Amino acid sequence: MRDPKEPVSCPELTTIETYLSPVETHCMNVDYFFLDPDNQTHEFSEDAMTRLHMGRSTIALFVVSFFVMFIAFWTGVAGCWRRSPGNITATAILVLLACLLSAGAMGFWHGVEYYEKERVVGEEFYQQWNSILKDNTRISYDWSFFMAWTGVAFSLVSAILFSGAAICLRGEREREEALNMQYLMPVYPQKQQYAYAGYPNPNAYPSGPYYHGQQQQQQPQYAGHYNY
């Protein structure tokens, strides 16, 4: 029989180091094994590798979306400065692309969350906890989660507003071009002559022929009954 005074050996527990973030929340670093020089992922299960790939995709999509949004910022500034429908349209497309990339990143994040809660991907995750730890665990979302989805929603709204602005600018430019075309139409001369203010009617002058100088002296005499 075991001596009651003998200490009971407990199973070895895995400790996870956390740190306090600048916004007073406890965080932990996640190793995505980007380099993995020791080939530690070779021993991972299929579910663990799926979770790892989705986590990597989350980071990659967020990085690409930030880069696309950076480009959209400059195209938007150029479009507003030049009032260019083309630049504004390009900005709308880029913002929409950034929105889709961010939404995809959040979708992968939810996939990682599902695998950590419902699949066996490691002893530090929910499925391999003991029943006491599971019963006394409360899972909640903090401010960063809501800020991420709010950013996705505002990106979509921005893309719609930029599209509307591009349509308005294009319509404004078409109206200006139509107005300018009236001044570019060719004006053909009219055969009918009109009298202008301060000038007599051209028909008021007697019709020719007119003779000047020697031409008047050399005017031939026509013999007629009245000799004129």
Side-chain angles (χ1 to χ4, degrees):
M1 295 181 62
R2 184 181 61 85
D3 186 1
K5 296 182 180 181
E6 182 181 353
V8 179
S9 60
C10 298
E12 184 179 356
L13 299 177
T14 302
T15 58
I16 300 176
E17 296 182 0
T18 62
Y19 62 93
L20 196 63
S21 69
V23 291
E24 301 296 328
T25 56
H26 290 276
C27 302
M28 57 174 289
N29 291 324
V30 179
D31 191 358
Y32 292 100
F33 299 96
F34 286 113
L35 299 178
D36 193 18
D38 299 330
N39 197 18
Q40 300 180 24
T41 58
H42 179 71
E43 300 177 355
F44 285 6
S45 63
E46 183 178 354
D47 289 339
M49 287 301 300
T50 302
R51 169 194 166 273
L52 180 62
H53 288 314
M54 286 193 296
R56 291 171 175 174
S57 301
T58 301
I59 301 299
L61 288 179
F62 269 127
V63 170
V64 176
S65 67
F66 293 156
F67 178 72
V68 172
M69 188 63 74
F70 177 77
I71 298 176
F73 170 78
W74 292 109
T75 57
V77 170
C80 293
W81 182 266
R82 299 171 53 193
R83 295 180 60 84
S84 171
N87 285 11
I88 298 298
T89 302
T91 303
I93 295 173
L94 290 173
V95 172
L96 180 60
L97 179 59
C99 172
L100 295 177
L101 290 171
S102 301
M106 290 302 298
F108 279 121
W109 184 88
H110 281 287
V112 172
E113 180 191 27
Y114 171 80
Y115 267 75
E116 290 179 353
K117 291 174 60 178
E118 304 297 335
R119 302 293 182 89
V120 179
V121 292
E123 60 181 6
E124 68 270 22
F125 297 107
Y126 185 80
Q127 286 298 322
Q128 292 186 253
W129 292 353
N130 56 50
S131 58
I132 298 176
L133 185 58
K134 289 181 180 179
D135 295 338
N136 292 275
T137 298
R138 182 175 61 88
I139 300 175
S140 61
Y141 299 104
D142 210 340
W143 61 271
S144 58
F145 172 81
F146 298 106
M147 287 294 293
W149 275 117
T150 302
V152 173
F154 273 104
S155 298
L156 179 60
V157 173
S158 299
I160 295 173
L161 292 178
F162 272 115
S163 300
I167 294 173
C168 293
L169 287 175
R170 187 172 290 108
E172 180 181 342
R173 175 166 293 185
E174 290 176 355
R175 288 192 297 270
E176 290 179 355
E177 291 178 354
L179 184 62
N180 293 333
M181 283 296 295
Q182 299 178 4
Y183 300 100
L184 298 177
M185 293 294 292
V187 179
Y188 298 99
Q190 302 292 331
K191 293 183 178 180
Q192 185 178 0
Q193 296 181 353
Y194 300 93
Y196 296 94
Y199 297 91
N201 193 326
N203 296 327
Y205 295 97
S207 58
Y210 303 99
Y211 299 95
H212 303 280
Q214 295 181 358
Q215 293 181 358
Q216 186 175 4
Q217 297 177 2
Q218 297 177 1
Q219 181 178 1
Q221 299 292 330
Y222 295 96
H225 184 71
Y226 296 99
N227 194 22
Y228 63 87

